[in-house]
Amino acid sequence: MEPRPVVAFDLLETVLDLAPLRDRFSSAGLPAELVHPWFLRLQRDSMALALAGGSPEFRRVARQALRTESARAVSAEQAEGLLDAFRTLPAHPDAEPALRRLTDAGVAVAGLTVGETASTGEALDRAGLAPFFDRIVTARQVGSWKPAPAVYHAAAEAMETTPERMAVVAVHAWDCHGAARAGCPTGWCSRLEGEFGEVFAPPDVTGADLVRVADGLVDLLVA
């Protein structure tokens, strides 16, 4: 019997909205626009550590990236408060209907994230999305960082399926590329980047929002 189809969602920026962090940064005396370069540095530095053979710890790398991007203007106490805000991130409006569309079609749902287990779980619970997820797999649990193939393979194994039956959904082209190279179908939502980079492996499904991506993946995965 063919394994049950699975869709694994990237969580930070794809399902959970980072925009409220801008107000938290402002309250800490930091420019609101610092959120974007800080999150990019966090991802870049974590990828570099993983490529060098390490196992990045989200909070530790995020704290260092914040200190660097703020020109060391953030105190340790402020940094911890800003990172704790990940627990309260809201969901994007298109997340709930997309998740419902998949579960109604009999597709299992996983979360595949570089974030922390506790803060991610709390944010999904606050947003009312936790019941849709069968499993949350973090990069820290795997011991590597996306887009390493091991992360996607570990998620498929945790969901008791094969990479070919586990589609990965993200708003980041590089994440979809990594999943495709690992043998997974991919769904890219254009909400963040607008245009899929031509240097990356093209996604199997593209949509302006997660609902359209979910519709395309149901057609692709469900016989």
Side-chain angles (χ1 to χ4, degrees):
M1 179 179 292
E2 195 171 37
R4 181 185 180 188
V6 175
V7 172
F9 282 82
D10 167 62
L11 296 179
L12 295 177
E13 291 194 299
T14 300
V15 171
L16 298 173
D17 188 2
L18 299 188
L21 292 178
R22 294 172 61 87
D23 289 339
R24 297 295 290 265
F25 271 50
S26 294
S27 297
L30 299 172
E33 58 270 19
L34 193 67
V35 171
H36 182 64
W38 164 65
F39 192 65
L40 288 179
R41 179 179 289 276
L42 161 61
Q43 294 185 85
R44 186 205 67 185
D45 289 355
S46 296
M47 289 179 190
L49 289 166
L51 283 170
S55 179
E57 181 184 343
F58 180 86
R59 181 168 285 255
R60 185 180 180 194
V61 182
R63 188 187 304 116
Q64 179 60 64
L66 183 57
R67 181 165 170 77
T68 300
E69 284 297 327
S70 70
R72 294 157 299 283
V74 177
S75 69
E77 183 178 0
Q78 285 176 318
E80 290 305 309
L82 291 170
L83 295 180
D84 283 343
F86 275 95
R87 298 177 178 272
T88 62
L89 293 178
H92 285 286
D94 56 351
E96 191 275 339
L99 292 167
R100 189 174 299 281
R101 172 75 175 96
L102 292 167
T103 55
D104 286 349
V107 178
V109 175
L112 180 54
T113 183
V114 297
E116 296 177 302
T117 303
S119 61
T120 299
E122 186 169 336
L124 291 175
D125 189 54
R126 285 172 176 264
L129 300 183
F132 290 104
F133 288 89
D134 297 278
R135 189 78 176 263
I136 302 296
V137 178
T138 70
R140 182 67 175 171
Q141 292 167 350
V142 178
S144 189
W145 198 268
K146 293 191 294 182
V151 180
Y152 307 100
H153 292 164
E157 183 177 355
M159 292 299 292
E160 299 181 349
T161 191
T162 62
E164 295 79 11
R165 294 291 287 163
M166 186 189 78
V168 173
V169 175
V171 293
H172 310 103
W174 64 262
D175 199 352
C176 289
H177 177 82
R181 293 296 297 269
C184 302
T186 58
W188 177 70
C189 174
S190 63
R191 185 201 320 120
L192 178 69
E193 297 172 340
E195 180 178 315
F196 196 86
E198 62 179 17
V199 298
F200 301 114
D204 295 283
V205 173
T206 296
D209 56 55
L210 292 179
V211 177
R212 296 182 189 182
V213 173
D215 284 339
L217 290 176
V218 168
D219 291 341
L220 183 70
L221 297 172
V222 180

